[in-house]
Amino acid sequence: MMERATRVGNRLLAALPPADFALLAPHLRKVPLLHDAVLVRSGDRIEHLYFPCSGAIALIMELPNGQTAATAVIGNDGAVGLMTALGPVRSPLTAVVRVAGTALQISPARFQAALERSPAIANAVQIVTRAMMTQFLHVAACNALHSVEARLARWLLHIHDRTDGGDILPLTQETLSELLGVRRTTVTHVVSALRASRAIKSNRRGQLEIDRQRLEVVACECYKVMSRRIDRIVSQDAVRLLHAAPARNGCPPPDFPFAKTDS
């Protein structure tokens, strides 16, 4: 499983039985996730599904008055755009790449066709939905109950979990403001407080260098609780459900996991 996860990149796709993955593989394209790229805007139709292999994507709620706040961060344990499993829909959230990486992209029509033939893919959609709902609920409670410093520490840890670039995170003050749903002046004060506690080592323009151990001390209990619950949902115990029934195609797995790579 670990070897296949490394080859495929996305943990959820890697957990699919070979025959079920073969339904998707010819239609998957490996695409770059460029920093600050908007994958879909709130209110727009979802044109592509993305299964991240690396990097981090923030889901942002945009209010009519222009205010924004993050509701979740997606990495290689999830997907963006799975609402299309319910049919043609407009996205309720804006998905923005906050840490560059790569993803496997597929059209809703191709994904829906595979979904109709594969109970395993249907179970995968349920797993992602449960993980997303867990994150939404925890973020909502955390925003209501905990300090801005603790909330920023939690977001930084979640993003750090989904990156492989060491302790330097490519996050601007504007991005932090968007994550927290606060003004940039508030972000300045919060970052200064975390620097004073040495949870943030430095904050050069567009970059934060963190001390993970100290950041975990500052973060509220939501970080560990949320991480445990989401990891349990996407764990090997959960994805074993994907093997309950074979896909109705009888195809062997392809020699190559993707039909095309966009550079």
Side-chain angles (χ1 to χ4, degrees), residues 154-227:
R154 172 179 57 76
W155 278 125
L156 294 179
L157 289 168
H158 282 312
I159 292 171
H160 188 250
D161 288 343
R162 290 160 174 81
T163 63
D164 54 8
D167 292 335
I168 297 179
L169 303 178
L171 302 172
T172 64
Q173 280 206 337
E174 182 179 1
T175 298
L176 299 180
S177 174
E178 185 178 71
L179 287 171
L180 293 167
V182 300
R183 297 178 183 275
R184 290 180 64 175
T185 52
T186 302
V187 170
T188 300
H189 293 310
V190 174
V191 170
S192 295
L194 292 180
R195 282 197 68 175
S197 66
R198 293 188 291 175
I200 291 178
K201 297 179 181 178
S202 66
N203 58 314
R204 297 183 295 275
R205 181 181 294 274
Q207 290 186 330
L208 289 180
E209 184 179 5
I210 66 169
D211 183 309
R212 185 177 176 95
Q213 288 187 327
R214 288 189 169 94
L215 210 57
E216 288 181 356
V217 173
V218 177
C220 53
E221 64 271 21
C222 291
Y223 167 69
K224 289 185 178 179
V225 173
M226 193 189 312
S227 296

